[in-house]
């Protein structure tokens, strides 16, 4: 498996995170410039941003939860040379679920739909970790 194939899902996840970061900058700036929010209202991280800004901010925060385990696993798969087609397929399922989760989170924000997509990604990540642990612990290729 090529290093590009292994890292491409990770790069897409990083791009999603950085894209949300930039989007959050612009919506927060708009809230402050339009005076919808005063600096004193958010100075101590109070959740007084506009609903739209909170949606984008919460979505960005989500990118530092499950994806952290994905980043670590990708690095471990490369270091131990265990990354294969199973890993890459599951990585794409995880990353596509994160993209879907972000779209739902920042648009309709339907909690049940968002939760289902989140669950698909979480399940893919759990399977990835179990496969990796079994291979390492049993000395399998």
């Amino acid at each position: 498996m090529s290093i590009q194939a292994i890292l491409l899902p990770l790069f897409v996840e990083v791009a999603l995170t950085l894209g949300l970061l930039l989007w959050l900058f612009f919506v927060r700036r708009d809230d402050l410039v339009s005076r919808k929010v005063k600096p004193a209202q958010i100075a101590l991280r109070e959740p007084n941003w506009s609903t739209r800004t909170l949606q984008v901010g919460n979505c960005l925060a989500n990118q530092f939860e499950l994806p952290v385990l994905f980043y670590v696993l990708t690095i471990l798969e490369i270091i131990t040379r265990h990354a294969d087609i199973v890993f890459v397929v599951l990585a794409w399922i995880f990353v596509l679920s994160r993209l879907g989760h972000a779209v739902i989170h920042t648009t309709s924000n339907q909690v049940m739909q968002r939760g289902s997509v989140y669950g698909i990604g979480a399940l893919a990540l759990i399977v990835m970790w179990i496969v990796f642990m079994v291979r390492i612990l049993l000395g399998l290729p």
Side-chain angles (χ1 to χ4, degrees), residues 55-77:
Q55 272 182 291
V56 176
N58 289 343
C59 188
L60 175 63
N62 286 164
Q63 303 313 312
F64 295 97
E65 295 171 358
L66 281 185
V68 171
L69 292 173
F70 172 67
Y71 295 142
V72 170
L73 182 57
T74 301
I75 293 165
L76 289 172
E77 290 272 1

Side-chain angles (χ1 to χ4, degrees), residues 14-30 53 56-57 60 64:
V14 169
L16 170 62
T17 303
L18 295 176
L20 287 166
L21 179 66
L22 287 172
W23 188 5
L24 183 59
F25 167 78
F26 288 112
V27 293
R28 281 185 174 177
R29 184 188 57 131
D30 289 347
T53 301
V56 176
L60 175 63
F64 295 97

Side-chain angles (χ1 to χ4, degrees), residues 1-6 82-89:
M1 187 82 353
S2 73
I3 194 74
Q4 292 88 348
I6 296 164
H82 279 83
D84 60 4
I85 190 69
V86 173
F87 171 78
V88 172
V89 168

Side-chain angles (χ1 to χ4, degrees), residues 113-128:
Q113 189 180 27
R114 194 177 89 208
S116 296
V117 174
Y118 180 93
I120 291 167
L123 183 60
L125 187 62
I126 290 166
V127 170
M128 291 165 69

